Amino acid sequence: MDVDTCIPRARVEHAETAKYESEFKTGRRQYTQQFNTLYYKRLNTLKPFILNHARTKWEPKKIHLTPKVLNVEGPEPTFIVGTIFMDSQVKPSTLAQVENTHWISDPTPPRMYRDGTETVYLEDESGRIRLVGDAVDKAVLASGVVAAMMGCETQAGDFDVIDMCFAGMAEQPERTCSEDVFVALVSGLNASVEQPVTLEMQVLAEYLCGAAGGASDQKTSARIVQTVVAGNIMNVPVPPIGHTEDARANDRVPVQKLVASVDAYLSDIAACMPLALLPGPGDPSSASLPQQPLHPSMFAQCRQYTGFRTLTNPAYFEINNVLLLGTSGQNVRDLCRYSNETPCQLAAQSLQWRHVAPTAPDTLWCYPFTEHDPFVVRTTPHVYFAGNQKFEAGVAVGTEGQKTKVVMVPEFSVSHEIVLLNLRTLECSTVHIDACV
């Protein structure tokens, strides 16, 4: 092995995250409010953008807006704006879950919520109308998407859709990065009580810190200016059914040891470069989106380094004037239950919808916000990534020149791969970590 220990690590500017963190920070959570307010806020936020696109597209053809979905009358073409809702027998029902108290474990969610038997509605504050037609059957849609539908009323009182449009991508800031530096995107370490740090994880840390591989590998690793771990850092065991916490019991000790081992492992990386952690479904964080940052007290060694940050999921952050938006993948996985498109295509489509988690709260747990919908994309990022997927990359292109690199980050415990993202070109490649070498 040709080892060169004198290569200095590249350094770049990291913008303060406070201006982005407030989007997803919830503080103390209260669940006394209803979810309908969240839908109204979403609709009212996105409706002006959708109306602008719809009027540009259809009014030259003498097709005009009907303000309320229940005001649609007659066979004359018109367009309406509302929130899509899909009613399906295979979708999970909270009421059914409450009624059935005899489950040994939570039921496995179905592979698809949209199987051809679903009913699609468009709803606003006045009510809902059923959507029919080939345009609906062939379109990539999901519950919670705000859209404009153009068509006419049928004799049965349904709305026969001919065309549709969405909010489109939001404004995008200028990107000025001129250096060939990299961000390492990692997800799904899945450190467990049985094996907190695997051999592949050890080699990964050595690679990121420039202590593994040949001279070429070390030159590349020296250009890594940030590592981001997007969810499922650890796999905390779920207490068995009927488990009652007992202060005298020692059942917390294995988890405490797991957290301490993960902290020690990550501190080696944090000592070499800035490190950001997003919580995932397997991590000790809130179950519903937006997941709140992992508590700093779990990372006594990591927090000694100024570049260490625990972020929300989703999270915005800026590196060297490149704006990134990342999630740990729950939102993309849920979208995959509505369409046979690839996760990367659906993530790109969600930027066109201007919403990263449209299926929340219908089939994806989220907090019932009352003041705003934080999942609305108000600024288009330069990079949008989702963790715990199979690797895939693409580009989302807006009508006003916006371009976003969309990256699906592989689950490391399965693939033993990470993604290196070039901040200048936004090109990405995978690095396979082989512990047998």
Side-chain angles (χ1 to χ4, degrees), residues 225-407:
V225 296
Q226 169 90 53
T227 294
V228 179
V229 185
N232 288 357
I233 301 154
M234 59 190 89
N235 189 5
V236 177
V238 178
I241 299 297
H243 171 83
T244 302
E245 295 225 341
D246 185 345
R248 297 169 298 178
N250 229 12
D251 58 354
R252 296 181 183 179
V253 171
V255 175
Q256 291 171 345
K257 290 182 177 179
L258 168 62
V259 172
S261 297
V262 170
D263 177 31
Y265 167 76
L266 292 175
S267 67
D268 291 338
I269 302 173
C272 296
M273 71 183 75
L275 173 64
L277 307 181
L278 278 68
D283 295 311
S285 178
S286 50
S288 58
L289 295 183
Q291 287 184 282
Q292 298 304 284
L294 295 168
H295 201 281
S297 64
M298 294 192 294
F299 303 99
Q301 297 185 50
C302 287
R303 65 184 180 182
Q304 298 177 25
Y305 302 100
T306 57
F308 175 74
R309 294 177 292 173
T310 57
L311 305 178
T312 56
N313 169 37
Y316 282 100
F317 52 99
E318 188 176 312
I319 306 172
N320 211 24
N321 296 314
V322 177
L323 181 61
L324 295 90
L325 169 60
T327 79
S328 295
Q330 299 101 310
N331 59 326
V332 176
R333 284 181 181 271
D334 201 54
L335 283 176
C336 288
R337 295 191 174 100
Y338 289 87
S339 173
N340 289 319
E341 300 285 304
T342 69
C344 188
Q345 291 171 328
L346 290 169
Q349 181 62 46
S350 70
L351 294 177
Q352 303 290 348
W353 295 332
R354 209 178 285 206
H355 203 282
V356 295
T359 60
D362 186 18
T363 55
L364 183 65
W365 289 359
C366 81
Y367 181 71
F369 291 90
T370 57
E371 299 299 323
H372 71 300
D373 183 351
F375 305 111
V376 171
V377 181
R378 291 166 172 81
T379 303
T380 296
H382 302 113
V383 178
Y384 175 33
F385 65 87
N388 300 290
Q389 312 293 321
K390 292 182 179 179
F391 173 70
E392 189 180 2
V395 178
V397 180
T399 57
E400 299 175 356
Q402 307 97 320
K403 286 187 178 181
T404 298
K405 189 72 174 186
V406 182
V407 184

Side-chain angles (χ1 to χ4, degrees), residues 8-22:
R9 182 168 297 278
R11 304 290 178 184
V12 297
E13 177 184 354
H14 290 71
E16 290 293 326
T17 59
K19 61 181 178 180
Y20 301 113
E21 283 183 337
S22 60

Side-chain angles (χ1 to χ4, degrees), residues 100-234:
N100 192 334
T101 59
H102 302 291
W103 282 328
I104 300 302
S105 61
D106 289 339
T108 303
R111 191 187 73 83
M112 294 292 292
Y113 295 143
R114 196 175 183 189
D115 59 359
T117 63
E118 73 284 345
T119 304
V120 184
Y121 298 95
L122 192 73
E123 58 183 25
D124 62 10
E125 59 272 19
S126 71
R128 63 171 58 166
I129 189 169
R130 182 182 178 184
L131 303 179
V132 297
D134 289 342
V136 174
D137 296 337
K138 296 176 181 178
V140 178
L141 297 172
S143 265
V145 173
V146 181
M149 299 288 168
M150 189 271 283
C152 57
E153 187 182 27
T154 67
Q155 290 184 348
D158 301 328
F159 193 76
D160 188 6
V161 178
I162 300 171
D163 197 5
M164 63 186 69
C165 73
F166 307 102
M169 294 172 69
E171 293 183 356
Q172 187 176 52
E174 184 180 359
R175 181 170 60 90
T176 58
C177 181
S178 59
E179 299 179 73
D180 282 314
V181 291
F182 299 93
V183 172
L185 300 176
V186 187
S187 73
L189 294 175
N190 286 314
S192 64
V193 169
E194 294 77 15
Q195 194 171 15
V197 180
T198 64
L199 186 56
E200 289 80 12
M201 288 172 61
Q202 292 274 21
V203 176
L204 170 62
E206 292 174 3
Y207 172 78
L208 293 173
C209 296
S216 176
D217 296 314
Q218 292 169 27
K219 287 179 181 178
T220 299
S221 64
R223 306 300 297 171
I224 301 175
V225 296
Q226 169 90 53
T227 294
V228 179
V229 185
N232 288 357
I233 301 154
M234 59 190 89

